[in-house]
Amino acid sequence: MDQSVKTPWHLWVVGALSLLWNSGGVISYTMTKLAALDGTGMPPEQLDYYYSFPAWATAFWALGVWGCFFGSAALLFRSRYAVWLFGISIIGLVGTTIFQRFFSEMPETLQTAGHTVFAAAIWVVTIGLFFYARSMAKSGVLR
């Protein structure tokens, strides 16, 4: 590989913004797993829903959240592993979505237009990050 490949400015912007975006997922996941959401104003039916995830759904959720977070960090380190980590996060997102859509009864408070738009944004960002990292790897920016 040519070591003289210059890092484009947009890698730092995408990496930093995606790390910030994915930090929100990490905080949400961690607070849920630590049962620290009580008293945050979240309706009890939402808390019960998140606390009721079976182990396999929680595992997919963890893959999605942590894969994307570490993928963003790997982007900033210019590591080719960013592609793999974002791929793992897509697998996690697929598994979590399958659980939520087919194997659980989501509370009505999570079936709003806002939640649907946010879920779609998660998909768009995650897939976009995967293809961005893949493009940066192919161009030799990630090593």
Side-chain angles (χ1 to χ4, degrees):
M1 180 182 87
D2 181 10
Q3 293 292 335
S4 65
V5 174
K6 185 175 176 177
T7 305
W9 64 269
H10 51 81
L11 181 119
W12 306 117
V13 173
V14 171
L17 290 176
S18 69
L19 192 64
L20 184 64
W21 165 268
N22 290 309
S23 293
V26 165
I27 291 167
S28 173
Y29 174 84
T30 303
M31 288 181 67
T32 302
K33 293 293 108 196
L34 296 175
L37 294 174
D38 296 337
T40 61
M42 186 178 283
E45 63 272 7
Q46 284 184 18
L47 291 171
D48 292 343
Y49 174 69
Y50 290 122
Y51 295 154
S52 72
F53 277 29
W56 68 268
T58 298
F60 277 113
W61 185 14
L63 288 174
V65 169
W66 293 104
C68 231
F69 177 79
F70 288 119
S72 296
L75 254 181
L76 290 171
F77 285 110
R78 293 184 53 196
S79 170
R80 68 183 182 278
Y81 294 112
V83 179
W84 285 97
L85 289 162
F86 287 130
I88 288 168
S89 71
I90 290 171
I91 292 167
L93 186 54
V94 168
T96 303
T97 302
I98 288 170
F99 168 72
Q100 290 180 322
R101 301 291 176 223
F102 301 110
F103 295 104
S104 73
E105 200 168 313
M106 207 180 297
E108 285 186 30
T109 55
L110 291 175
Q111 296 180 29
T112 65
H115 282 91
T116 302
V117 168
F118 189 66
I122 291 170
W123 272 94
V124 168
V125 168
T126 303
I127 291 170
L129 288 169
F130 171 78
F131 283 111
Y132 179 80
R134 194 172 79 168
S135 170
M136 291 294 99
K138 283 184 179 182
S139 65
V141 172
L142 304 182
R143 44 183 192 261

